Every structure is written in C-alpha cells, then in structure tokens.
Amino acid sequence: MAISQRLGLRQSQALVMTPQLQQSIKLLQLSNIELSAFVETELERNPLLEREEGERGDEGGDATSDRNDIDPPDPASGRTVAADVALTAAEPPAIVSADAPLDTDWGNLFTGSSATDRNDDYGGEAQFASAGRGRADFADDLPGLEETLAERPSLRDHLLSQIAIEFTVPADRLIAARLVDLLEETGYLGATVEEVAAGMGCPPERVEAVLRRCQRLDPPGIFARSLAECLAIQLAERNRLDPAMRTLLDHLDLLARRDLAAVMRLCGVDAEDLAEMIAEIRALDPKPGAAFDHEIAQTLIPDILMRAQPEVGWVVELNADTLPRVLVNRRYHAEISRGARSKVDRDYVGTCLADANWLVRALDQRANTILKVSSEIVRRQDAFFVRGVQYLRPLTLKDVAEAVDMHESTISRVTTNKVIATPRGVFELKYFFTQAIQGAGGADAHSAEAVRHRIRSMIDAEPADAILSDDRIVEILRGEGIDIARRTVAKYREGMRIPSSVQRRREKGLSR
C-alpha cells in the first residue's frame, strides 16, 4: 500500500473572534468610570473622534453633515436608545414616544463659563453689583475645589508635632518617630518592642519607656498593641480603670461570646454593674487612628434610572451622565484625506475612520443591551419594587437570557459593575439574581435573599423570654410554605452575623 500526499479543499463553519468583536464584548462589562477612561484614551489616540459637547444645532447650520450619521445614545434628547421603557406586570416592555419634551431648555441652564454669561439677563448694573463678591484676583472663573478645601493633618503629622514637644532627648525623639512609622491605619503598633529595639540597636527597656510616653499622646488609645490595651489606655485617661474593669478587659473573649454569667463571676459584680461597664466600653474608640483617614468616599453613580409612572408602571432609562457621547468628524476626515499622498498616510486615515465608526456603533449597542436587560429584570422583579424585599423572586441568568434572546455570558457581562437607582434604593444588577429555595407542598419557589430577610425579621422581633432556635425558625418557615433545612438557616444566620440562640438569650437577658 503506497502512501501519497493530496491537496484538497474542505468547507467548515467556525466562530472567529475578531479583535473588534473581543473589544465590544469587553465594553459590556466595563463600569461607567472604566468606560469613560477607555473613551478618553480613544479620543486622544484617534484624531477623527471628538466629544459631543452639546446640541448639534449650536455648532452651526451644517454641523450635522460634518459628523457621522450613527450617533451614540443621547438620553437627554431621546435619540437612538433614549426612549423610555414602560413596564407593567402583565405586558412586555413597550417603547414610549421618543419625542417627549425635555424637563428644561437651554435658556434655563447655568454653565458658569464667564461673568458676562451670568449677568446678561440682569444688565450692566447687576454686573457691577456682583463684582464685589467675585474673586480677589479679579478672575472670571470660579475658584476650584482645591482652593475651597482646608487641609487636614494626617495621623503622622499630628503625632510628630506632639513628639517634638514631649521629647527633648534626640535619641528618644528618634525612637518615637520610628514608632510612628510602624503604626497601622487603625492606630495600633505593628511591631513588638523587641523588634524595634533590635532594629535601632538600643535596649528594649528604653523602647518600652518611650512607648509608654507615646501612649499618652492624642488621640487616646494610640500606640496600643492589642484591643485590650487600647481600651485600657482610654479608660485610664478617664480614671475608670479599676480592678473589675481590668478583669473585664482580660476576658474580652467571654464578652464576645455573651457569656455574661462567667464575666460577672470573674469580675465580682452584679448584672447592673456589668451593664454599666459594658456601656462604658462601647463608648470607647477601638480604632483611634481611623479618625485621621481622610480618604474621600467615591460617589456611586447609577448607570440606569428607574421611576414610577402612574397608570403605566415603571419607567427605565439610561443615565445620561454615564454615557460617553462621541462623534466622527467627517469634515476633518475629508480634509486630511485630500492631503494624504502616500499609501501609509491613506491607510492610517482609513484605519482611524474605521475605528471611530466602530466605537460609535459599539457604544450604541452597549447602551441598547444594558437598557434591554435592565428592563427585563425590572419587569420580573415588579413585586419587589412594589412590596419589598420579602417579595424578591428567584432569578437566574438563564431566565433573562431566554427572555431577551441573548447568551448567558452576555447577561453576566451586562450586569457586572452596573448599578440601578430605584425608588427602594440603589442596587447592583447582580443583586436581583438569587438562588431559589423550594416551596413546601409544591408551592412556588422563594428567593434566598427574601428568606434571609424573613429570618432576620423574626429574630429582631423575638422577645427576650422566647428566643427562637434554628429548629423553631425552620418550623415557622415551613408553616409559611418555605422548605428549608436547619443547616441552611444556620448558614444564613451566620452570614448575617447573628449570634446563636444561646448567645442571644444571654445578651437579651442582661438587657432586661
């Protein structure tokens, strides 16, 4: 049998992930901050892209013909995907008229661009009158945020300023500065006395003496090496560190387990005295250094806005502030195309045009997909928005994917890092996807989040003389049509950081 080579042609189908398709998929799971950063990078890289600053009618009569006819979604004017989606419990989402009037017009907007713009409607007299309230340097623009905020000292600066007064010996001042460098954000010392002494080449006794003096600095409780020592420093400053309180601090583990009977026996106090001691401890600061944490909390900007509309249901729309609006400048493309003489220049211009058109289409498709998926989620969780978390329905990615005719992976990317503002608060889209717990006797399934809420409600309402055990909670839930196991109740309770029935009985028995 002879072996020979042969050249043949065969046809087959395969899914090819082009670079642009891969980038479009990545755009779906980007948050609004990450998307803005990506668009900024494209604006810097591509000369044919420009940011849409306002209505195109403000840019001249022929402004529309200068740009691409495919625009990204514009929720302010209702173009493309900005039409509101009206939802009812029985009907699928329907598109409302896209020509709805705006809430305001451009004449009512204050841009703050110049003093002349601010005073045109009031005349020259108003301009003169407002001059005395302007900037001291006679500049037209308003002061920046950095000019209005007062600088707050850091924990390090606050301590070093006290150390400069407290310590006069240079060696002790150097040891104290080293202890400041070893502080954690909470104000606790992050090293032992022996480690500091070995690193600085001095006796541990001297480091211990410096540490004791540092523990008298402000804020009280600073430079502590444990929670008990931190609380002891604060109590000593208040002259409340008596032997009973010292014993309580030495047995904080018993207090954490709510073993109050053992604590009273060790401290030699009754229930009333122990309650007062616990109240004093709760008034202390367990993390004295955290008060100097000046990190500014980031504002959570929702991607989707939701509101109730009478006789219609829920209105779901995209947040215009989170949608990058970019345009393709075709006039500039025509000018540089005429000036491109070499093939390299023409290829570069063509690539920039193709990338710009792709970005505009990708942003439009992303906005449409987010609006479609979020509208389906709102439709399915209508009872939650009307009645509360106890009516949250079990929902999976597959349920939404089948309803909107998309793949589950697409739904997962769309709901990642996306936030919706609802009348009941601000939630991540992932919040509405919960596991299902079977109903007892063939009843409908229940959402795991709704069951957790029901467990917390029962425990919060239990009287001190009738603490609910996990077995009793299971019986109550099964009586309400929820088929749940005892270990599941215990898992949910521990996940919500609710102590056991024994610990709750001890704690509520003391508070009576």
Side-chain angles (χ1 to χ4, degrees), residues 395-435:
L395 186 65
T396 62
L397 296 175
K398 183 178 180 180
D399 298 335
V400 178
E402 293 177 351
V404 299
D405 194 19
M406 295 180 183
H407 196 269
E408 293 182 38
S409 61
T410 303
I411 305 300
S412 177
R413 293 186 178 94
V414 170
T415 54
T416 300
N417 301 322
K418 307 300 184 303
V419 178
I420 180 171
T422 73
R424 290 200 172 270
V426 180
F427 302 92
E428 292 187 2
L429 291 181
K430 289 288 188 182
Y431 172 81
F432 300 102
F433 295 92
T434 60
Q435 296 179 350

mmCIF file of all heavy atoms in Angstrom, residues 395-435:
data_model
loop_
_atom_site.group_PDB
_atom_site.id
_atom_site.type_symbol
_atom_site.label_atom_id
_atom_site.label_comp_id
_atom_site.label_asym_id
_atom_site.label_seq_id
_atom_site.Cartn_x
_atom_site.Cartn_y
_atom_site.Cartn_z
ATOM 1 N N LEU A 395 -34.222 34.410 40.504
ATOM 2 C CA LEU A 395 -33.931 34.763 39.116
ATOM 3 C C LEU A 395 -32.532 34.294 38.774
ATOM 4 O O LEU A 395 -31.605 34.422 39.582
ATOM 5 C CB LEU A 395 -34.056 36.278 38.926
ATOM 6 C CG LEU A 395 -33.914 36.818 37.506
ATOM 7 C CD1 LEU A 395 -35.050 36.322 36.619
ATOM 8 C CD2 LEU A 395 -33.890 38.346 37.522
ATOM 9 N N THR A 396 -32.370 33.767 37.565
ATOM 10 C CA THR A 396 -31.076 33.295 37.092
ATOM 11 C C THR A 396 -30.721 34.004 35.791
ATOM 12 O O THR A 396 -31.572 34.622 35.140
ATOM 13 C CB THR A 396 -31.082 31.777 36.864
ATOM 14 O OG1 THR A 396 -32.054 31.460 35.831
ATOM 15 C CG2 THR A 396 -31.450 31.033 38.145
ATOM 16 N N LEU A 397 -29.457 33.906 35.434
ATOM 17 C CA LEU A 397 -29.014 34.491 34.169
ATOM 18 C C LEU A 397 -29.705 33.839 32.984
ATOM 19 O O LEU A 397 -30.006 34.496 31.981
ATOM 20 C CB LEU A 397 -27.492 34.345 34.033
ATOM 21 C CG LEU A 397 -26.630 35.084 35.069
ATOM 22 C CD1 LEU A 397 -25.163 34.728 34.869
ATOM 23 C CD2 LEU A 397 -26.827 36.588 34.973
ATOM 24 N N LYS A 398 -29.979 32.556 33.107
ATOM 25 C CA LYS A 398 -30.632 31.841 32.022
ATOM 26 C C LYS A 398 -32.044 32.369 31.783
ATOM 27 O O LYS A 398 -32.485 32.471 30.622
ATOM 28 C CB LYS A 398 -30.671 30.343 32.338
ATOM 29 C CG LYS A 398 -31.266 29.487 31.233
ATOM 30 C CD LYS A 398 -31.234 28.017 31.603
ATOM 31 C CE LYS A 398 -31.826 27.157 30.486
ATOM 32 N NZ LYS A 398 -31.805 25.717 30.850
ATOM 33 N N ASP A 399 -32.761 32.709 32.846
ATOM 34 C CA ASP A 399 -34.114 33.241 32.682
ATOM 35 C C ASP A 399 -34.117 34.528 31.868
ATOM 36 O O ASP A 399 -34.923 34.694 30.950
ATOM 37 C CB ASP A 399 -34.744 33.488 34.055
ATOM 38 C CG ASP A 399 -34.891 32.213 34.862
ATOM 39 O OD1 ASP A 399 -34.974 31.136 34.239
ATOM 40 O OD2 ASP A 399 -34.899 32.298 36.104
ATOM 41 N N VAL A 400 -33.214 35.446 32.204
ATOM 42 C CA VAL A 400 -33.149 36.713 31.471
ATOM 43 C C VAL A 400 -32.635 36.495 30.060
ATOM 44 O O VAL A 400 -33.107 37.124 29.106
ATOM 45 C CB VAL A 400 -32.261 37.710 32.239
ATOM 46 C CG1 VAL A 400 -32.138 39.023 31.475
ATOM 47 C CG2 VAL A 400 -32.830 37.964 33.631
ATOM 48 N N ALA A 401 -31.653 35.590 29.898
ATOM 49 C CA ALA A 401 -31.094 35.342 28.567
ATOM 50 C C ALA A 401 -32.151 34.808 27.613
ATOM 51 O O ALA A 401 -32.209 35.216 26.444
ATOM 52 C CB ALA A 401 -29.920 34.363 28.686
ATOM 53 N N GLU A 402 -32.992 33.909 28.075
ATOM 54 C CA GLU A 402 -34.056 33.387 27.214
ATOM 55 C C GLU A 402 -35.095 34.446 26.895
ATOM 56 O O GLU A 402 -35.649 34.462 25.793
ATOM 57 C CB GLU A 402 -34.719 32.194 27.903
ATOM 58 C CG GLU A 402 -33.807 30.975 28.036
ATOM 59 C CD GLU A 402 -34.477 29.844 28.791
ATOM 60 O OE1 GLU A 402 -35.575 30.076 29.348
ATOM 61 O OE2 GLU A 402 -33.896 28.729 28.836
ATOM 62 N N ALA A 403 -35.356 35.356 27.817
ATOM 63 C CA ALA A 403 -36.376 36.378 27.586
ATOM 64 C C ALA A 403 -35.917 37.428 26.582
ATOM 65 O O ALA A 403 -36.721 37.910 25.771
ATOM 66 C CB ALA A 403 -36.757 37.045 28.913
ATOM 67 N N VAL A 404 -34.645 37.791 26.599
ATOM 68 C CA VAL A 404 -34.143 38.845 25.708
ATOM 69 C C VAL A 404 -33.400 38.263 24.511
ATOM 70 O O VAL A 404 -32.839 39.033 23.712
ATOM 71 C CB VAL A 404 -33.232 39.813 26.478
ATOM 72 C CG1 VAL A 404 -34.002 40.483 27.595
ATOM 73 C CG2 VAL A 404 -32.003 39.100 27.032
ATOM 74 N N ASP A 405 -33.360 36.928 24.400
ATOM 75 C CA ASP A 405 -32.731 36.255 23.260
ATOM 76 C C ASP A 405 -31.238 36.599 23.182
ATOM 77 O O ASP A 405 -30.728 37.049 22.148
ATOM 78 C CB ASP A 405 -33.432 36.632 21.952
ATOM 79 C CG ASP A 405 -33.037 35.692 20.801
ATOM 80 O OD1 ASP A 405 -32.545 34.579 21.093
ATOM 81 O OD2 ASP A 405 -33.216 36.068 19.624
ATOM 82 N N MET A 406 -30.535 36.396 24.281
ATOM 83 C CA MET A 406 -29.093 36.597 24.329
ATOM 84 C C MET A 406 -28.455 35.419 25.046
ATOM 85 O O MET A 406 -29.154 34.585 25.624
ATOM 86 C CB MET A 406 -28.738 37.903 25.067
ATOM 87 C CG MET A 406 -29.206 39.168 24.388
ATOM 88 S SD MET A 406 -28.733 40.648 25.340
ATOM 89 C CE MET A 406 -29.491 41.932 24.342
ATOM 90 N N HIS A 407 -27.140 35.374 24.999
ATOM 91 C CA HIS A 407 -26.424 34.304 25.676
ATOM 92 C C HIS A 407 -26.248 34.652 27.152
ATOM 93 O O HIS A 407 -26.230 35.829 27.537
ATOM 94 C CB HIS A 407 -25.060 34.076 25.022
ATOM 95 C CG HIS A 407 -24.424 32.767 25.406
ATOM 96 N ND1 HIS A 407 -23.575 32.642 26.486
ATOM 97 C CD2 HIS A 407 -24.515 31.536 24.847
ATOM 98 C CE1 HIS A 407 -23.169 31.385 26.581
ATOM 99 N NE2 HIS A 407 -23.721 30.690 25.596
ATOM 100 N N GLU A 408 -26.133 33.617 27.974
ATOM 101 C CA GLU A 408 -25.964 33.840 29.415
ATOM 102 C C GLU A 408 -24.693 34.627 29.719
ATOM 103 O O GLU A 408 -24.664 35.451 30.643
ATOM 104 C CB GLU A 408 -25.936 32.501 30.152
ATOM 105 C CG GLU A 408 -27.252 31.743 30.129
ATOM 106 C CD GLU A 408 -27.160 30.462 30.927
ATOM 107 O OE1 GLU A 408 -26.494 30.469 31.982
ATOM 108 O OE2 GLU A 408 -27.748 29.445 30.501
ATOM 109 N N SER A 409 -23.632 34.386 28.968
ATOM 110 C CA SER A 409 -22.384 35.125 29.205
ATOM 111 C C SER A 409 -22.573 36.614 28.930
ATOM 112 O O SER A 409 -21.976 37.465 29.611
ATOM 113 C CB SER A 409 -21.267 34.556 28.328
ATOM 114 O OG SER A 409 -21.602 34.682 26.952
ATOM 115 N N THR A 410 -23.402 36.944 27.948
ATOM 116 C CA THR A 410 -23.678 38.350 27.665
ATOM 117 C C THR A 410 -24.438 38.993 28.815
ATOM 118 O O THR A 410 -24.142 40.125 29.224
ATOM 119 C CB THR A 410 -24.478 38.483 26.366
ATOM 120 O OG1 THR A 410 -23.758 37.866 25.291
ATOM 121 C CG2 THR A 410 -24.725 39.943 26.023
ATOM 122 N N ILE A 411 -25.411 38.292 29.374
ATOM 123 C CA ILE A 411 -26.166 38.816 30.512
ATOM 124 C C ILE A 411 -25.240 39.012 31.708
ATOM 125 O O ILE A 411 -25.344 40.000 32.440
ATOM 126 C CB ILE A 411 -27.320 37.873 30.873
ATOM 127 C CG1 ILE A 411 -28.202 37.621 29.648
ATOM 128 C CG2 ILE A 411 -28.138 38.442 32.007
ATOM 129 C CD1 ILE A 411 -28.819 38.855 29.071
ATOM 130 N N SER A 412 -24.314 38.077 31.902
ATOM 131 C CA SER A 412 -23.369 38.199 33.015
ATOM 132 C C SER A 412 -22.494 39.428 32.854
ATOM 133 O O SER A 412 -22.232 40.152 33.831
ATOM 134 C CB SER A 412 -22.507 36.940 33.109
ATOM 135 O OG SER A 412 -21.548 37.050 34.131
ATOM 136 N N ARG A 413 -22.023 39.692 31.633
ATOM 137 C CA ARG A 413 -21.183 40.870 31.408
ATOM 138 C C ARG A 413 -21.983 42.156 31.555
ATOM 139 O O ARG A 413 -21.471 43.158 32.079
ATOM 140 C CB ARG A 413 -20.557 40.800 30.017
ATOM 141 C CG ARG A 413 -19.545 39.678 29.840
ATOM 142 C CD ARG A 413 -18.860 39.757 28.487
ATOM 143 N NE ARG A 413 -17.863 38.713 28.324
ATOM 144 C CZ ARG A 413 -18.088 37.547 27.758
ATOM 145 N NH1 ARG A 413 -19.301 37.256 27.281
ATOM 146 N NH2 ARG A 413 -17.130 36.643 27.648
ATOM 147 N N VAL A 414 -23.217 42.159 31.086
ATOM 148 C CA VAL A 414 -24.030 43.369 31.163
ATOM 149 C C VAL A 414 -24.324 43.737 32.610
ATOM 150 O O VAL A 414 -24.309 44.913 32.988
ATOM 151 C CB VAL A 414 -25.345 43.180 30.374
ATOM 152 C CG1 VAL A 414 -26.313 44.319 30.644
ATOM 153 C CG2 VAL A 414 -25.049 43.100 28.887
ATOM 154 N N THR A 415 -24.580 42.753 33.449
ATOM 155 C CA THR A 415 -24.944 43.016 34.840
ATOM 156 C C THR A 415 -23.741 43.192 35.756
ATOM 157 O O THR A 415 -23.913 43.459 36.939
ATOM 158 C CB THR A 415 -25.806 41.863 35.378
ATOM 159 O OG1 THR A 415 -25.122 40.606 35.181
ATOM 160 C CG2 THR A 415 -27.142 41.803 34.643
ATOM 161 N N THR A 416 -22.539 43.072 35.241
ATOM 162 C CA THR A 416 -21.331 43.272 36.039
ATOM 163 C C THR A 416 -21.012 44.755 36.123
ATOM 164 O O THR A 416 -20.974 45.454 35.106
ATOM 165 C CB THR A 416 -20.150 42.509 35.421
ATOM 166 O OG1 THR A 416 -20.456 41.119 35.370
ATOM 167 C CG2 THR A 416 -18.894 42.716 36.238
ATOM 168 N N ASN A 417 -20.792 45.240 37.336
ATOM 169 C CA ASN A 417 -20.414 46.640 37.581
ATOM 170 C C ASN A 417 -21.463 47.628 37.095
ATOM 171 O O ASN A 417 -21.140 48.769 36.748
ATOM 172 C CB ASN A 417 -19.065 46.972 36.912
ATOM 173 C CG ASN A 417 -17.933 46.112 37.406
ATOM 174 O OD1 ASN A 417 -17.862 45.795 38.585
ATOM 175 N ND2 ASN A 417 -17.035 45.720 36.511
ATOM 176 N N LYS A 418 -22.724 47.215 37.060
ATOM 177 C CA LYS A 418 -23.810 48.111 36.667
ATOM 178 C C LYS A 418 -24.728 48.340 37.862
ATOM 179 O O LYS A 418 -25.063 47.393 38.588
ATOM 180 C CB LYS A 418 -24.615 47.528 35.497
ATOM 181 C CG LYS A 418 -23.800 47.122 34.290
ATOM 182 C CD LYS A 418 -23.030 48.273 33.692
ATOM 183 C CE LYS A 418 -22.309 47.842 32.430
ATOM 184 N NZ LYS A 418 -21.380 46.708 32.642
ATOM 185 N N VAL A 419 -25.156 49.564 38.038
ATOM 186 C CA VAL A 419 -25.943 49.967 39.197
ATOM 187 C C VAL A 419 -27.223 50.622 38.706
ATOM 188 O O VAL A 419 -27.206 51.394 37.741
ATOM 189 C CB VAL A 419 -25.150 50.943 40.097
ATOM 190 C CG1 VAL A 419 -25.987 51.392 41.284
ATOM 191 C CG2 VAL A 419 -23.866 50.288 40.570
ATOM 192 N N ILE A 420 -28.330 50.328 39.369
ATOM 193 C CA ILE A 420 -29.622 50.903 39.028
ATOM 194 C C ILE A 420 -30.169 51.645 40.237
ATOM 195 O O ILE A 420 -30.106 51.155 41.371
ATOM 196 C CB ILE A 420 -30.615 49.816 38.549
ATOM 197 C CG1 ILE A 420 -31.968 50.441 38.189
ATOM 198 C CG2 ILE A 420 -30.776 48.724 39.572
ATOM 199 C CD1 ILE A 420 -32.920 49.465 37.518
ATOM 200 N N ALA A 421 -30.674 52.853 40.006
ATOM 201 C CA ALA A 421 -31.302 53.657 41.057
ATOM 202 C C ALA A 421 -32.814 53.440 40.986
ATOM 203 O O ALA A 421 -33.443 53.721 39.972
ATOM 204 C CB ALA A 421 -30.961 55.131 40.872
ATOM 205 N N THR A 422 -33.385 52.927 42.063
ATOM 206 C CA THR A 422 -34.798 52.588 42.121
ATOM 207 C C THR A 422 -35.460 53.352 43.261
ATOM 208 O O THR A 422 -34.778 53.910 44.127
ATOM 209 C CB THR A 422 -34.985 51.075 42.334
ATOM 210 O OG1 THR A 422 -34.635 50.744 43.694
ATOM 211 C CG2 THR A 422 -34.100 50.279 41.395
ATOM 212 N N PRO A 423 -36.791 53.379 43.297
ATOM 213 C CA PRO A 423 -37.460 54.014 44.444
ATOM 214 C C PRO A 423 -37.128 53.350 45.773
ATOM 215 O O PRO A 423 -37.326 53.964 46.821
ATOM 216 C CB PRO A 423 -38.948 53.854 44.094
ATOM 217 C CG PRO A 423 -38.986 53.766 42.605
ATOM 218 C CD PRO A 423 -37.744 53.035 42.225
ATOM 219 N N ARG A 424 -36.641 52.125 45.780
ATOM 220 C CA ARG A 424 -36.271 51.427 47.017
ATOM 221 C C ARG A 424 -34.791 51.510 47.328
ATOM 222 O O ARG A 424 -34.321 50.864 48.261
ATOM 223 C CB ARG A 424 -36.710 49.964 46.945
ATOM 224 C CG ARG A 424 -38.218 49.796 46.998
ATOM 225 C CD ARG A 424 -38.627 48.406 47.400
ATOM 226 N NE ARG A 424 -40.057 48.344 47.630
ATOM 227 C CZ ARG A 424 -40.628 48.581 48.806
ATOM 228 N NH1 ARG A 424 -39.884 48.883 49.835
ATOM 229 N NH2 ARG A 424 -41.941 48.525 48.926
ATOM 230 N N GLY A 425 -34.044 52.255 46.554
ATOM 231 C CA GLY A 425 -32.621 52.411 46.817
ATOM 232 C C GLY A 425 -31.799 52.114 45.575
ATOM 233 O O GLY A 425 -32.329 51.886 44.479
ATOM 234 N N VAL A 426 -30.493 52.119 45.760
ATOM 235 C CA VAL A 426 -29.547 51.875 44.675
ATOM 236 C C VAL A 426 -29.008 50.458 44.831
ATOM 237 O O VAL A 426 -28.506 50.085 45.895
ATOM 238 C CB VAL A 426 -28.402 52.901 44.700
ATOM 239 C CG1 VAL A 426 -27.414 52.631 43.567
ATOM 240 C CG2 VAL A 426 -28.956 54.319 44.591
ATOM 241 N N PHE A 427 -29.117 49.664 43.771
ATOM 242 C CA PHE A 427 -28.707 48.257 43.813
ATOM 243 C C PHE A 427 -27.838 47.944 42.598
ATOM 244 O O PHE A 427 -28.001 48.543 41.529
ATOM 245 C CB PHE A 427 -29.923 47.320 43.801
ATOM 246 C CG PHE A 427 -30.889 47.530 44.928
ATOM 247 C CD1 PHE A 427 -31.972 48.390 44.782
ATOM 248 C CD2 PHE A 427 -30.731 46.872 46.133
ATOM 249 C CE1 PHE A 427 -32.869 48.594 45.807
ATOM 250 C CE2 PHE A 427 -31.622 47.069 47.167
ATOM 251 C CZ PHE A 427 -32.691 47.927 47.006
ATOM 252 N N GLU A 428 -26.942 46.985 42.787
ATOM 253 C CA GLU A 428 -26.255 46.402 41.642
ATOM 254 C C GLU A 428 -27.211 45.448 40.931
ATOM 255 O O GLU A 428 -28.063 44.823 41.565
ATOM 256 C CB GLU A 428 -25.007 45.645 42.087
ATOM 257 C CG GLU A 428 -23.903 46.539 42.627
ATOM 258 C CD GLU A 428 -22.636 45.767 42.901
ATOM 259 O OE1 GLU A 428 -22.623 44.544 42.628
ATOM 260 O OE2 GLU A 428 -21.672 46.372 43.381
ATOM 261 N N LEU A 429 -27.075 45.344 39.631
ATOM 262 C CA LEU A 429 -27.956 44.440 38.887
ATOM 263 C C LEU A 429 -27.774 42.998 39.332
ATOM 264 O O LEU A 429 -28.705 42.189 39.248
ATOM 265 C CB LEU A 429 -27.698 44.579 37.384
ATOM 266 C CG LEU A 429 -28.140 45.901 36.742
ATOM 267 C CD1 LEU A 429 -27.848 45.888 35.252
ATOM 268 C CD2 LEU A 429 -29.613 46.163 36.990
ATOM 269 N N LYS A 430 -26.579 42.658 39.831
ATOM 270 C CA LYS A 430 -26.343 41.300 40.313
ATOM 271 C C LYS A 430 -27.188 40.978 41.546
ATOM 272 O O LYS A 430 -27.405 39.806 41.856
ATOM 273 C CB LYS A 430 -24.857 41.140 40.666
ATOM 274 C CG LYS A 430 -23.923 41.114 39.465
ATOM 275 C CD LYS A 430 -24.045 39.820 38.676
ATOM 276 C CE LYS A 430 -22.966 39.754 37.611
ATOM 277 N NZ LYS A 430 -23.076 38.519 36.788
ATOM 278 N N TYR A 431 -27.659 42.016 42.250
ATOM 279 C CA TYR A 431 -28.432 41.788 43.466
ATOM 280 C C TYR A 431 -29.725 41.040 43.174
ATOM 281 O O TYR A 431 -30.211 40.276 44.025
ATOM 282 C CB TYR A 431 -28.737 43.135 44.129
ATOM 283 C CG TYR A 431 -29.695 43.052 45.292
ATOM 284 C CD1 TYR A 431 -29.260 42.673 46.545
ATOM 285 C CD2 TYR A 431 -31.046 43.350 45.125
ATOM 286 C CE1 TYR A 431 -30.135 42.601 47.617
ATOM 287 C CE2 TYR A 431 -31.932 43.281 46.190
ATOM 288 C CZ TYR A 431 -31.471 42.906 47.427
ATOM 289 O OH TYR A 431 -32.346 42.827 48.478
ATOM 290 N N PHE A 432 -30.294 41.238 42.000
ATOM 291 C CA PHE A 432 -31.595 40.659 41.682
ATOM 292 C C PHE A 432 -31.501 39.204 41.232
ATOM 293 O O PHE A 432 -32.528 38.577 40.989
ATOM 294 C CB PHE A 432 -32.279 41.495 40.592
ATOM 295 C CG PHE A 432 -32.501 42.918 41.000
ATOM 296 C CD1 PHE A 432 -31.672 43.924 40.537
ATOM 297 C CD2 PHE A 432 -33.519 43.260 41.861
ATOM 298 C CE1 PHE A 432 -31.862 45.240 40.916
ATOM 299 C CE2 PHE A 432 -33.729 44.569 42.251
ATOM 300 C CZ PHE A 432 -32.890 45.562 41.774
ATOM 301 N N PHE A 433 -30.290 38.667 41.115
ATOM 302 C CA PHE A 433 -30.119 37.259 40.750
ATOM 303 C C PHE A 433 -29.833 36.482 42.036
ATOM 304 O O PHE A 433 -28.754 36.600 42.619
ATOM 305 C CB PHE A 433 -28.982 37.088 39.747
ATOM 306 C CG PHE A 433 -29.244 37.734 38.411
ATOM 307 C CD1 PHE A 433 -28.832 39.041 38.174
ATOM 308 C CD2 PHE A 433 -29.912 37.047 37.426
ATOM 309 C CE1 PHE A 433 -29.083 39.644 36.951
ATOM 310 C CE2 PHE A 433 -30.171 37.645 36.198
ATOM 311 C CZ PHE A 433 -29.756 38.945 35.962
ATOM 312 N N THR A 434 -30.811 35.715 42.495
ATOM 313 C CA THR A 434 -30.678 34.963 43.739
ATOM 314 C C THR A 434 -31.076 33.516 43.507
ATOM 315 O O THR A 434 -31.823 33.195 42.569
ATOM 316 C CB THR A 434 -31.571 35.555 44.839
ATOM 317 O OG1 THR A 434 -32.943 35.513 44.401
ATOM 318 C CG2 THR A 434 -31.189 37.002 45.130
ATOM 319 N N GLN A 435 -30.588 32.660 44.385
ATOM 320 C CA GLN A 435 -30.920 31.247 44.305
ATOM 321 C C GLN A 435 -32.365 31.016 44.727
ATOM 322 O O GLN A 435 -32.964 31.822 45.441
ATOM 323 C CB GLN A 435 -29.979 30.436 45.196
ATOM 324 C CG GLN A 435 -28.525 30.496 44.768
ATOM 325 C CD GLN A 435 -27.635 29.706 45.693
ATOM 326 O OE1 GLN A 435 -28.057 29.268 46.760
ATOM 327 N NE2 GLN A 435 -26.380 29.520 45.300
#
